[in-house]
Amino acid sequence: MNESVRVISVLPDLLGTYGDSGNAVVACRRLALRGYRVELVIADLKTRIPFDGDFYLIGGGEDAPQAKAAELLAVDAPVERAIDGGAALLAVCAGFQILGTSFIGPDLKPRAGIGLFPCKTHRFDGPRSVGELIVDPGRDIPGVPLLSGYENHQGVTELLDGANPLGTVLVGKGNNFEAKVDGALEGRAIGTYMHGPVFARNPKLCDHFLSMVVGTMSPLEDVSLENAHKKLYDERIKEVYKG
Amino acid sequence: MKRVIPEANAKIAVAISRIVSQFVRRLGVGEGATLPGRILLRLYPQAMVELSRYLPVVLISGTNAKTTTTALAKEALSGSFEVVSNVTGANMEGGVAFALAEGGVRPDGRSLGIFEVDEAYLPIIGSQLETKVVALLNLSRDQLDRVSETRMTSGKWKAFLKEYPHVKVVANCDDPLIVFAAEGSASVLWVSAGLNFVLDARSCPVCGEEIEFATGQWRCSCGFKRPQADIEVNGKMIAIRDNKIEMELALPGRCNVANSAIVLGICDLLGVDLISAARRMSYVSEVAGRYRRVAVNGHQVRMLLSKNPAGWLEVFDMVGEDPSVVVAINAQVADGRDPSWLWDVPFELLRGKEVFASGERAYDLSVRLHYADIPHVVLKDSLDALRSCSNRDVSFVGNYTSFQELRKRLSGGGNPLINGIRKLGNRVLK
Ligand SMILES: [Zn+2]
């Protein structure tokens, strides 16, 4: 197999504060280990965001860069066009917020988002949501067990009519305190508050994400890598339930 | 908290905090400044203001190199002043208050306070003391679960400097977030102290556009640009006005030359002879246990502390030729509870070395190292890892609590009873 795929790391210089660029590293490697020819495009401030990628990865960041990223993504709608064309997208934290219908700018006023996810984000008046997050993705993501990540945000995201969450929050806050859900799942687009980075913590979520574009993912033969993942995953879940 | 307490009670508060400090140090659960400082401030809320009256103060802040720069400054300036300092690294309100209590300041014009200050606390502490000089080193991602985002910190510093126009500033002109903050002051001495972690500085703090970086320069289309340096660092040479000073530091790494340049800036503002200040700095060979080599079962272990991506870039320089590296990562409160930042560190640079992944979060590190293609062994106990190295020269790199933990164990903490008490104490102090 020598199929080639393009992974687009979207504006990591604006939205890359919490190690989320690791998601691109994990995705690329897991594709390469399965024989795909992978091209990683770092679509930074200087680059036009391509329309023809297969996987789009957007991370978290600070308020001002977040607003700037939303402005850039609104020009020529590269992400929406790519998804219409069959690409998959992962958006984390601030990246998730700007892909909703509205989010809060650094001036504390609401701003229009990209509208990919039917959800809007307000700013929570109380303390930041910070800590380990465990999410049950239910049956929407077959074969994926509980998801584990680390959240760190001031947002309260409200899912609008017709929106699906990524999963049910078992530990932590996620989108908001009442609904007890995290993120959003919209076709091939995944939004979440989970850092860690989320693919490093949950390789099965990564494989599911990849399979949405390139089809079934065979198990990896790199036993040592998968063991390392399993140890980290088991330890995080155990630690959180113990504490 | 404007409760005025009689002088006798103030003395009692100071005495109690000292006793607690002694106790903490005896138990070996800490450096003995943080908890006593908190107790002192609880009993004597205006301790900071009262104890520092007539004491001119230099404050040093930034994400990285605060402790080292403070130690260099203490050494450089102690030829000219009686220095009061918080060299143990307790850098929030309590730590500074306790250092003042311990210092026993005399209003004789010979005393000088030199304090490293946590980024988030610089305005709070700076406004309570007789702050003369503030040194601003760098700002980058660190402990995002606790410290607010770097842009917010930079804005708060700027507001503080605007409010206190008599405060003089020594600032790193290579870091845009530092320049943004320092421009709040009318009196800045700019030092080209370098910036090697550019990622947090890419978007302009003024307008959000991309800053263009070129060698020794940066500028944004909005007009925000790198100021002309007053103090230039070039290899080991520091050029300050007409002086060219060659630094021969015992401390390793390029970053420590830059730190010493910041200190020379402070010395210049205080009218201290630069040549003798430089000489004094060259004697510093360790800072709170960092940088020195210790013997562990026949290995020569260089003790390094690094707690975030920017710090790691300096560490790769200091690890140098050591063929074995033990990396220990914890995620206690003092470290930041989220080690996601490991993915912002180019661990690929360790290729070719024998690497051990240690600490409470060794598995997070192990996954990261796998994706960096670095063969490694996971041994959660860092002392076991050091003993397992197959080479003599080893670099140990820990983040905050993993470093402190190893340091304590190496300083003879073999007694299981004492270790148990330490663990308990650490939990209480958390
Ligand atoms: Zn600008």
Side-chain angles (χ1 to χ4, degrees):
Chain A
M1 184 171 30
N2 244 330
E3 203 182 327
S4 69
V5 289
R6 296 184 88 198
V7 177
I8 319 293
S9 175
V10 179
L11 298 168
D13 39 355
L14 292 175
L15 298 178
T17 312
Y18 298 84
D20 295 323
S21 61
N23 289 321
V25 175
V26 173
C28 288
R29 172 64 69 82
R30 298 184 76 79
L31 284 163
L33 284 171
R34 291 179 171 103
Y36 290 92
R37 259 207 338 244
V38 186
E39 184 196 353
L40 173 64
V41 179
I42 307 286
D44 61 12
L45 274 162
K46 266 191 284 224
T47 322
R48 264 175 79 94
I49 299 163
F51 305 126
D52 57 350
D54 297 296
F55 300 100
Y56 287 74
L57 300 157
I58 309 181
E62 303 182 21
D63 296 347
Q66 176 190 29
K68 180 76 192 166
E71 274 171 38
L72 292 172
L73 284 174
V75 179
D76 297 335
V79 170
E80 298 100 299
R81 284 164 66 177
I83 288 177
D84 286 344
L89 168 131
L90 171 78
V92 180
C93 201
F96 168 45
Q97 293 175 356
I98 59 175
L99 290 174
T101 54
S102 75
F103 68 99
I104 303 298
D107 53 1
L108 303 183
K109 295 198 179 100
R111 299 198 176 194
I114 301 302
L116 187 69
F117 296 114
C119 64
K120 56 182 183 184
T121 299
H122 318 276
R123 220 181 144 78
F124 182 54
D125 282 336
R128 270 177 97 80
S129 301
V130 181
E132 292 284 335
L133 188 55
I134 293 188
V135 174
D136 179 355
R139 262 168 287 175
D140 282 344
I141 306 177
V144 177
L146 298 184
L147 300 170
S148 120
Y150 195 92
E151 64 182 325
N152 184 353
H153 60 99
Q154 194 73 52
V156 175
T157 300
E158 181 192 338
L159 296 181
L160 306 174
D161 280 350
N164 286 309
L166 173 62
T168 310
V169 169
L170 303 182
V171 175
K173 301 290 193 297
N175 289 358
N176 67 52
F177 314 136
E178 286 125 49
K180 281 281 169 196
V181 294
D182 176 64
L185 194 58
E186 194 66 29
R188 286 180 303 278
I190 297 174
T192 180
Y193 274 110
M194 283 183 277
H195 300 288
V198 63
F199 282 174
R201 289 275 198 101
N202 307 277
K204 288 192 171 144
L205 178 67
C206 180
D207 286 353
H208 170 74
F209 175 77
L210 300 174
S211 73
M212 290 193 289
V213 175
V214 296
T216 318
M217 293 268 106
S218 52
L220 282 187
E221 281 162 27
D222 189 333
V223 178
S224 157
L225 174 67
E226 294 301 73
N227 275 343
H229 270 303
K230 186 173 180 334
K231 281 189 175 142
L232 171 60
Y233 178 84
D234 290 347
E235 180 190 65
R236 286 295 92 216
I237 300 278
K238 206 175 112 204
E239 274 288 318
V240 172
Y241 279 112
K242 193 184 81 187
Chain B
M1 290 280 230
K2 276 276 179 251
R3 191 159 53 100
V4 177
I5 68 167
E7 200 174 330
N9 291 7
K11 280 194 178 137
I12 291 168
V14 168
I16 289 173
S17 67
R18 283 188 181 164
I19 291 165
V20 173
S21 172
Q22 289 290 332
F23 188 66
V24 168
R25 254 179 278 190
R26 286 275 161 77
L27 271 182
V29 293
E31 301 280 355
T34 305
L35 179 66
R38 259 187 246 159
I39 290 169
L40 174 64
L41 283 178
R42 182 67 63 81
L43 297 173
Y44 184 14
Q46 62 279 56
M48 190 92 85
V49 175
E50 297 282 333
L51 295 173
S52 69
R53 195 158 280 167
Y54 314 115
L55 178 74
V57 159
V58 176
L59 299 180
I60 295 170
S61 196
T63 307
N64 285 317
K66 290 185 285 285
T67 305
T68 302
T69 308
T70 303
L72 288 170
K74 182 182 181 224
E75 191 57 44
L77 289 158
S78 55
S80 315
F81 298 95
E82 289 287 331
V83 173
V84 179
S85 185
N86 57 339
V87 278
T88 57
N91 59 16
M92 300 186 197
E93 276 177 292
V96 173
F98 184 70
L100 286 164
E102 280 282 83
V105 179
R106 286 165 301 279
D108 55 4
R110 287 262 304 147
S111 294
L112 178 72
I114 305 174
F115 301 113
E116 73 158 276
V117 173
D118 181 271
E119 304 90 279
Y121 285 82
L122 177 63
I124 303 166
I125 293 173
S127 57
Q128 293 181 70
L129 303 179
E130 304 245 350
T131 309
K132 295 287 180 238
V133 178
V134 168
L136 306 178
L137 307 176
N138 50 67
L139 274 175
S140 70
R141 59 191 66 182
D142 178 52
Q143 289 190 40
L144 290 162
D145 61 323
R146 183 183 72 78
V147 182
S148 58
E149 298 165 337
T150 52
R151 259 147 248 275
M152 221 185 290
T153 306
S154 178
K156 284 180 185 160
W157 286 4
K158 189 183 198 116
F160 162 70
L161 294 173
K162 272 190 180 155
E163 203 180 322
Y164 293 88
H166 63 277
V167 173
K168 290 182 175 157
V169 178
V170 181
N172 177 1
C173 61
D174 291 325
D175 185 337
L177 286 169
I178 290 294
V179 173
F180 181 73
E183 284 186 343
S185 165
S187 165
V188 188
L189 198 55
W190 298 109
V191 183
S192 71
L195 173 76
N196 57 18
F197 189 77
V198 179
L199 201 50
D200 288 323
R202 287 289 292 279
S203 94
C204 172
V206 179
C207 73
E209 292 299 323
E210 185 182 14
I211 293 180
E212 291 289 340
F213 286 87
T215 317
Q217 289 301 327
W218 52 260
R219 67 164 57 238
C220 174
S221 53
C222 73
F224 182 58
K225 64 177 200 305
R226 180 185 182 273
Q228 182 75 43
D230 301 297
I231 301 178
E232 292 275 3
V233 183
N234 239 319
K236 289 180 170 181
M237 293 298 284
I238 298 174
I240 169 167
R241 284 179 286 116
D242 296 333
N243 300 300
K244 274 205 159 70
I245 297 170
E246 185 168 10
M247 294 304 305
E248 289 292 351
L249 293 176
L251 297 184
R254 287 175 302 236
C255 63
N256 281 321
V257 180
N259 296 335
S260 67
I262 294 270
V263 174
L264 288 180
I266 297 169
C267 291
D268 196 47
L269 289 176
L270 295 171
V272 168
D273 178 60
L274 300 179
I275 304 297
S276 61
R279 191 174 53 241
R280 295 187 77 97
M281 282 192 274
S282 71
Y283 305 146
V284 177
S285 62
E286 73 164 88
V287 176
R290 307 174 199 182
Y291 306 110
R292 69 188 175 132
R293 281 206 189 263
V294 295
V296 180
N297 290 58
H299 302 288
Q300 286 295 312
V301 181
R302 164 111 49 204
M303 299 286 288
L304 298 170
L305 188 151
S306 174
K307 48 200 173 82
N308 52 38
W312 260 96
L313 293 179
E314 313 288 6
V315 156
F316 289 120
D317 177 36
M318 294 182 220
V319 165
E321 303 300 313
D322 289 354
S324 296
V325 181
V326 174
V327 180
I329 302 295
N330 282 359
Q332 302 282 346
V333 174
D335 303 306
R337 305 286 297 183
D338 175 19
S340 296
W341 58 269
L342 290 171
W343 291 81
D344 293 321
V345 178
F347 284 108
E348 290 79 0
L349 293 171
L350 292 180
R351 190 152 301 151
K353 295 188 187 289
E354 177 188 49
V355 177
F356 288 83
S358 281
E360 296 163 356
R361 299 302 288 269
Y363 294 144
D364 292 76
L365 177 61
S366 171
V367 169
R368 172 69 190 101
L369 290 172
H370 266 101
Y371 282 94
D373 251 334
I374 300 295
H376 61 278
V377 175
V378 177
L379 268 180
K380 283 205 164 184
D381 186 307
S382 52
L383 200 49
D384 286 349
L386 290 176
R387 291 180 180 132
S388 306
C389 288
S390 42
N391 301 291
R392 190 191 68 141
D393 291 340
V394 179
S395 279
F396 169 81
V397 191
N399 63 344
Y400 191 72
T401 64
S402 56
F403 182 93
Q404 302 302 353
E405 185 190 305
L406 178 66
R407 197 182 156 208
K408 263 172 236 152
R409 288 174 69 193
L410 289 176
S411 62
N415 184 330
L417 178 67
I418 297 286
N419 284 340
I421 295 171
R422 274 176 192 169
K423 272 216 174 113
L424 192 70
N426 277 329
R427 208 160 290 166
V428 172
L429 287 180
K430 233 170 28 195

